[in-house]
Amino acid sequence: MAARGVEGSTGGEISEESDERGSMWDLDQQLDQPMDEEAGRLRNMYKEKKFSALLLLQLSFQSLGVVYGDLGTSPLYVFYNTFPHGIKDPEDIIGALSLIIYSLTLIPLLKYVFVVCKANDNGQGGTFALYSLLCRHAKVNTIPNQHRTDEELTTYSRTTFHEQSFAAQTKRWLEKNASRKNSLLILVLVGTCMVIGDGILTPAISVLSAAGGLRVNLPHINNGVVVVVAVVILVSLFSVQHYGTDRVGWLFAPVVFLWFLFIASIGMYNVCKHDPSVLKAFSPVYIYRYFKRGGQDRWTSLGGIMLSITGIEALFADLSHFPVSAVQIAFTVIVFPCLLLAYSGQAAYLRKYPHHVEDAFYQSIPKSVYWPMFVIATFAAIVASQATISATFSLIKQALAHGCFPRVKVVHTSRKFLGQIYVPDINWILMILCITVTAGFKNQNQIGNAYGTAVVIVMLVTTLLMMLIMILVWRCHWVLVLLFTFLSLVVECTYFSAVLFKVNQGGWVPLVIAAAFLIIMYVWHYGTLKRYEFEMHSKVSMAWILGLGPSLGLVRVPGVGLVYTELASGVPHIFSHFITNLPAIHSVVVFVCVKNLPVYTVPEEERFLVKRIGPKSFHMFRCVARYGYRDLHKKDDNFEKRLFESLFLFIRLESMMEGCSDSDDYSICASQQPQPHRDGNESRNLETFDTFDSVESVMAPLGVTKRTSHTVTGSSQMSGGGDELEFINGCRDAGVVHIMGNTVIRARREARFYKRIAIDYVYAFLRKICRENSAIFNVPQESLLNVGQIFYV
């Protein structure tokens, strides 16, 4: 908690045009400047822990169920989607197997497991994690609600560039034009929307492929029955999401481990029994021969081969549960060799029975283990679906934190694992779309075409973001950046060109889904940005507030008014709108700003910043609550309690500052006091303190023990600040009222038609169906006061 009696130096939100605005503007800047804060004591908070060999192996085993479920179930449908019209030349099987082997080697193994996974944000993966890293190393965030002191958070690692370096030039190029920042955001949103498409298509193709095994042992069953079975499994899967993965997650790793063990064993059996010569596919020369034989079918078959590397984005998005080293060990020791054996075994079987390509996986299973394998395959498909659904929930929450998605309910299903969340609205939307895709297409081939389109676009987005990460974060030489980008784009653009041929055969599905989500996310972000700009331009001058006097020119009634605003400095317009229409205001006013930062978490001791506005007699304060995109819900049950604890602690610490808190006159002397250098061994100087770890650390030197929050708040015997603490505590007991702005955005009459459609219809509709701020913040209706506003953009 920051404890500053006055406000620090001017922040980035002060306009450069303030030089000629007159003395009143200068006075306002002196009185209402952004607050300082205390963080920065611990640098590089996230460092991958060193684990013992035994524990690392245990974590590697557990990662199989969460991270590799989707990638591991690809053998169910790859060969059928590669040869949907049958195998015309047995040599094509060798070429296809060679392509699968080198695709698995180049993309999942080399690119993702050993390069992209290293680009995690303090252990967090996914498209928005990469974007958050970029936002911390360059000013590319489209909503400029950050202050320079946010950069000193222990989870906010940011380094400086040499002015002439390639990184500095790239940073300036990105920051120079607003359209480039906007383009970067759209790129991130496209990748996010495609991953959401994965969350729809993975359950559809995995469960449908697993259920398709019924036709092999029960030939009289038609495809309609298979679809019904798949739909029943999908409904069951989505219906239990509210329980969270914590209760059934312990089953994931054993199921997937058995799956890999079985497919590897069956693969070895088929290679030895049917055709050991398929192992020559490890030579890349057969890729050349495969394409040399020509024909468009060879090229379009890449769309099916690419399904062998699906699940890599879910791998990256679910990275937060395990250390990178455990994920790497699991892939190189278990996943990679087992998949190679599985595909080699299917290829060996198809060399002998090419007409069984439609059900290649189940046809290649020995009859004695068919039903156990069918059960394991079904459970593995469910685990794979769960991984992508969980990844979708995480991405939605990250989009919410960046102001890119309408407000929806987010339920944390586990207190132990903060990453395990459940989003009810999104869950049912995913279920409906997933069932629609499954029942609509009814076969793996068209769903596979759609799946391939989504996967390759996400890979391209990740490559472009990684290029910026390598430049701005890792400071790689431009030659290495160029080499990585070139090799990645050559492979991925080749696959992309292949899936373009299948857009009319199902590939249009993820494009339509992604376009719908992209419109929703971008329009909501645009409305959020305009609302923030309105608050910035219409905020009230502090000089005007001070001119009203201690009573603010109104009747001060008992109670505490919490005025919610998106501004971390200045007085929001809703406050002036409120006091203009009502002749009274509460005895204590706290402007509450709840904002998200591009970090994965904000430590509890650095979360709340508190400062005083105006003289003590005004009883006006500002509290900024900062959250990362992986933190618990903004307005948890203890939010109000911790806010008041931070406020009381601030007052107590303020009274200890000599020359600042002893006078009722507002002073800026604290910002002018020289701050002595303090190393790690030097004791804190109470006159020039920056931070205290907790209430206990402040009270201990005074011989005061903190038993409960009332120990701090209710004791009028504490020296300094006791009277004000007692006064505020009494106001709190009188009642707390939450004052929120109910801002309506409308397009101007002269605005272009697409802007009117976006604002007056799309944004208005989204705002109507999304959750209210009061519901997000868990504000009791009897304590809520909405202040309506309308502004035009």
Side-chain angles (χ1 to χ4, degrees), residues 747-752 756 792-793:
R748 298 180 185 274
R749 290 185 178 180
E750 63 272 16
R752 298 188 178 184
R756 292 200 301 271
Y792 296 86
V793 296

Side-chain angles (χ1 to χ4, degrees), residues 365-645:
I365 298 175
K367 299 297 182 183
S368 58
V369 295
Y370 172 80
W371 284 112
M373 196 63 206
F374 174 78
V375 174
I376 293 175
T378 303
F379 277 108
I382 292 173
V383 172
S385 303
Q386 180 62 59
T388 55
I389 293 169
S390 299
T392 302
F393 290 161
S394 297
L395 285 174
I396 292 295
K397 187 174 185 296
Q398 293 179 16
L400 277 169
H402 287 81
C404 296
F405 203 84
R407 297 182 297 269
V408 292
K409 183 178 182 179
V410 178
V411 180
H412 289 263
T413 58
S414 172
R415 287 287 180 181
K416 184 178 179 182
F417 303 103
L418 297 184
Q420 294 185 6
I421 59 174
Y422 168 64
V423 186
D425 301 330
I426 300 301
N427 180 68
W428 302 123
I429 291 174
L430 290 180
M431 186 188 77
I432 293 171
L433 292 176
C434 189
I435 293 174
T436 302
V437 169
T438 304
F441 286 138
K442 299 181 180 180
N443 68 80
Q444 306 171 25
N445 185 29
Q446 289 186 314
I447 299 177
N449 295 338
Y451 196 13
T453 304
V455 170
V456 72
I457 292 177
V458 175
M459 288 195 301
L460 287 168
V461 169
T462 301
T463 298
L464 296 176
L465 292 176
M466 278 300 302
M467 178 179 66
L468 294 176
I469 293 290
M470 294 178 74
I471 296 172
L472 298 176
V473 182
W474 290 354
R475 311 293 182 81
C476 295
H477 195 277
W478 65 270
V479 175
L480 288 176
V481 178
L482 186 62
L483 182 63
F484 171 83
T485 307
F486 175 75
L487 292 177
S488 298
L489 289 180
V490 164
V491 177
E492 291 158 9
C493 288
T494 301
Y495 280 129
F496 184 65
S497 64
V499 300
L500 287 178
F501 288 100
K502 298 187 176 183
V503 170
N504 62 340
Q505 302 173 29
W508 56 270
V509 172
L511 300 179
V512 172
I513 294 173
F517 275 97
L518 181 63
I519 291 172
I520 291 172
M521 296 171 80
Y522 187 76
V523 169
W524 185 264
H525 179 79
Y526 178 78
T528 302
L529 176 62
K530 291 301 179 183
R531 192 175 65 246
Y532 178 81
E533 290 177 350
F534 171 77
E535 287 223 23
M536 278 295 299
H537 291 119
S538 61
K539 65 181 181 180
V540 180
S541 166
M542 268 304 301
W544 176 73
I545 294 292
L546 293 179
L548 297 177
S551 67
L552 303 181
L554 303 166
V555 176
R556 302 297 292 269
V557 298
V560 178
L562 300 181
V563 183
Y564 288 82
T565 173
E566 296 186 9
L567 302 179
S569 66
V571 177
H573 183 261
I574 63 167
F575 180 72
S576 64
H577 191 57
F578 174 74
I579 64 176
T580 300
N581 290 275
L582 290 176
I585 192 63
H586 300 89
S587 298
V588 177
V589 178
V590 182
F591 297 104
V592 181
C593 172
V594 181
K595 69 175 182 176
N596 289 92
L597 298 179
V599 296
Y600 79 104
T601 186
V602 176
E604 287 285 344
E605 64 271 17
E606 299 174 3
R607 181 157 296 169
F608 286 89
L609 307 180
V610 180
K611 74 169 184 179
R612 185 185 297 278
I613 297 179
K616 279 188 174 183
S617 57
F618 279 31
H619 300 301
M620 296 178 67
F621 303 88
R622 174 172 290 112
C623 177
V624 177
R626 302 173 298 179
Y627 291 82
Y629 57 83
R630 296 286 285 180
D631 283 329
L632 281 170
H633 200 272
K634 293 177 182 178
K635 187 66 170 62
D636 54 64
D637 294 337
N638 295 322
F639 179 87
E640 186 178 303
K641 175 184 174 183
R642 288 188 288 121
L643 185 151
F644 277 103
E645 284 183 347

Side-chain angles (χ1 to χ4, degrees), residues 19 69 80 129 269 295 307 418 604 609 699 774 776:
D19 297 337
Y80 172 54
Y269 169 81
L307 296 180
L418 297 184
E604 287 285 344
L609 307 180
M699 298 307 171
S774 57
I776 294 292

Side-chain angles (χ1 to χ4, degrees), residues 314-330:
L315 177 156
F316 186 44
D318 290 324
L319 187 66
S320 60
H321 300 284
F322 304 96
V324 175
S325 54
V327 173
Q328 292 172 337
I329 291 173

Side-chain angles (χ1 to χ4, degrees), residues 674-691:
Q675 302 292 321
H677 173 73
R678 297 177 298 168
D679 56 30
N681 299 321
E682 186 177 353
S683 62
R684 292 183 176 93
N685 184 329
L686 293 180
E687 295 182 359
T688 56
F689 64 86
D690 282 331
T691 184

Side-chain angles (χ1 to χ4, degrees), residues 190-266:
V190 168
T192 302
C193 293
M194 287 298 172
V195 176
I196 294 173
D198 280 356
I200 297 168
L201 297 171
T202 297
I205 191 171
S206 299
V207 173
L208 187 61
S209 299
L214 291 172
R215 292 195 305 263
V216 176
N217 224 27
L218 303 171
H220 61 280
I221 291 181
N222 59 33
N223 193 58
V225 175
V226 173
V227 172
V228 171
V229 172
V231 169
V232 170
I233 295 174
L234 289 172
V235 171
S236 303
L237 173 64
F238 284 101
S239 297
V240 299
Q241 288 300 311
H242 66 280
Y243 291 111
T245 58
D246 192 30
R247 298 188 182 183
V248 295
W250 59 275
L251 279 174
F252 288 179
V255 166
V256 177
F257 178 72
L258 282 176
W259 166 257
F260 280 120
L261 191 64
F262 269 61
I263 63 174
S265 302
I266 293 171

